[in-house]
Amino acid sequence: MADIILIHGAWHGGWCWTATADALRDMGHRVACPDLPDAPDTTLADCVAALPAMARPLVVGHSMGGMVAEAMTAPASALLHLCSYLPLAGDSLATLDRLLPAPPRRWPRDDLGRLILPADQARQMIYHDCPHAPIHALRPQPVGPMRDRLAQRRPITRHYVICENDRAIPPALQRAMIDRAGVDHVHHRPWGHSPFLSDPAGLAKLIDAAT
């Protein structure tokens, strides 16, 4: 049995991990799926502070959640990046997005300045293989965790799961981050950006194997 923290990405909440967490708990693991804060002035440090205290957990970061996982200072057994941003010290999500040439992403904002992911773009970009995704559950995303830079990168065992059909973080960008930053274990899966919805059982098996 292991302690596991599952960190969601932008626009999401801990709800997105429900099926994966249930499968992991059935395997005997203790699992936490915290909601990251979504106040307009939220920072990367605020997101780290929202994580629960667990005894040397395996920390899984999805998409933006990879930045939060890397910013943790509490002891962990390993980090598992699920098609996530993989920074070096001094990197932000925004700088990593510019590693490969791509058109800039310009999201609409709410009245508080938080980023909105329109439903049609959510379906095309992050849920193209998740026909029953709860798009209504997506929430505004503060910009701070995307702009804040990682202070330092600690030595720890790292896994990276390349999702080969990802339309949000292209596989080429995932590989570029791995080549640049390095990880200990690379896993390839034929998933899109949201395997916690498209294949929660398969994702749980992969996480279990990393504990």
Side-chain angles (χ1 to χ4, degrees), residues 158-182:
R158 288 176 173 84
H159 297 254
Y160 196 103
V161 183
I162 298 177
C163 292
E164 298 288 358
N165 288 301
D166 195 336
R167 297 181 181 178
I169 303 178
L173 178 56
Q174 296 178 48
R175 294 186 184 96
M177 290 188 288
I178 292 170
D179 291 344
R180 178 174 174 268

Side-chain angles (χ1 to χ4, degrees), residues 99-124:
L99 285 179
L100 296 181
R105 298 180 179 182
R106 303 190 185 280
W107 309 114
R109 297 185 182 231
D110 69 5
D111 293 340
L112 299 177
R114 297 173 299 181
L115 304 177
I116 301 295
L117 182 61
D120 60 337
Q121 294 188 45
R123 292 187 187 96
Q124 296 170 15

Side-chain angles (χ1 to χ4, degrees), residues 84-157:
S84 74
Y85 290 91
L86 179 66
L88 294 171
D91 288 335
S92 68
L93 184 156
T95 64
L96 291 171
D97 250 346
R98 296 194 290 268
L99 285 179
L100 296 181
R105 298 180 179 182
R106 303 190 185 280
W107 309 114
R109 297 185 182 231
D110 69 5
D111 293 340
L112 299 177
R114 297 173 299 181
L115 304 177
I116 301 295
L117 182 61
D120 60 337
Q121 294 188 45
R123 292 187 187 96
Q124 296 170 15
M125 187 175 71
I126 63 175
Y127 294 148
H128 73 275
D129 56 348
C130 307
H132 303 296
I135 293 175
H136 65 278
L138 297 176
R139 58 183 184 165
Q141 172 61 43
V143 299
M146 297 181 167
R147 291 179 176 171
D148 293 346
R149 294 177 182 268
L150 183 70
Q152 60 182 7
R153 190 175 194 249
R154 59 177 168 169
I156 192 170
T157 299

Side-chain angles (χ1 to χ4, degrees), residues 73-90:
T73 57
S77 63
L79 304 183
L80 190 151
H81 286 269
L82 177 62
C83 56
S84 74
Y85 290 91
L86 179 66
L88 294 171

